[in-house]
Amino acid sequence: MNVIIQSTLITLQKHQALLDNLSNTQLCDASVSPYYSCIGTHLRHILDFYNCIFNADTKNRIDLTARARNKDVECNCGRAQDYLNLIIGKLNSTALDINKSVLVVDDLGLGKTELTYTYGSLLAQANSHAIHHLAIINYILDGLGFSLKDVSFGYNPTTPIAKQ
């Protein structure tokens, strides 16, 4: 199995561990400042990004702005786990050629634009993006007085870990 797929699966397993330890109330609690977003919106956003990768159109174009945005995933741990399992299943069963070029549509702040990626670079971006959102989730968890046993949750593997 390719290292990009392996890394992605490890990152997604952290989502599973999180969902195994949260209630629906905790998943959709948006009480932590300064942004007042909930864990569920971040999880849904991450999974939507991955889902877009598996929805290339007939011209082999992937539109990262065409996300599902299923609100049920944001406030129901069971639905979030179903969505997570769908993405993991697609990663395990799809033989993506990581060197194959794909046209990606995204909005970088100036409107939609098209860029050429490889599937490998797109998956690497998705993994890094997921880790970034896990860091935000970790911040929200702290604000809710909840912690996970995984000290690497939300940390980029290249981030030096402070010695205590």
Side-chain angles (χ1 to χ4, degrees):
M1 181 180 291
N2 178 283
V3 69
I4 294 171
I5 301 292
Q6 286 177 324
S7 297
T8 297
L9 289 170
I10 289 168
T11 299
L12 290 174
Q13 287 168 357
K14 293 183 182 294
H15 294 67
Q16 185 64 54
L18 175 66
L19 287 167
D20 286 345
N21 288 288
L22 286 181
S23 68
N24 289 342
T25 301
Q26 292 166 317
L27 184 67
C28 62
D29 187 329
S31 65
V32 177
S33 66
Y35 302 112
Y36 302 100
S37 60
C38 69
I39 293 166
T41 57
H42 290 280
L43 285 176
R44 192 257 322 135
H45 175 74
I46 293 165
L47 297 173
D48 278 354
F49 192 105
Y50 281 108
N51 196 45
C52 287
I53 295 171
F54 296 106
N55 288 317
D57 66 16
T58 57
K59 296 179 183 176
N60 200 36
R61 184 176 50 212
I62 294 171
D63 187 347
L64 295 178
T65 68
R67 296 189 210 117
R69 293 181 171 91
N70 182 342
K71 296 288 184 189
D72 288 345
V73 171
E74 297 179 9
C75 58
N76 183 300
C77 290
R79 300 280 175 137
Q81 286 184 349
D82 290 344
Y83 197 17
L84 174 63
N85 290 334
L86 174 75
I87 300 303
I88 289 172
K90 287 180 179 183
L91 276 167
N92 281 322
S93 66
T94 305
L96 289 176
D97 178 353
I98 63 165
N99 297 309
K100 183 178 179 180
S101 291
V102 60
L103 193 59
V104 175
V105 177
D106 203 354
D107 186 336
L108 305 176
L110 299 174
K112 287 186 181 184
T113 189
E114 293 183 354
L115 302 159
T116 303
Y117 284 61
T118 63
Y119 274 106
S121 63
L122 184 56
L123 284 168
Q125 177 188 348
N127 193 52
S128 180
H129 181 241
I131 292 168
H132 160 75
H133 279 277
L134 291 178
I136 296 168
I137 289 169
N138 211 9
Y139 177 84
I140 295 170
L141 288 170
D142 185 66
L144 296 175
F146 187 89
S147 65
L148 294 171
K149 293 180 178 148
D150 182 354
V151 295
S152 69
F153 186 90
Y155 281 90
N156 187 301
T158 64
T159 301
I161 296 177
K163 296 184 184 200
Q164 298 189 20

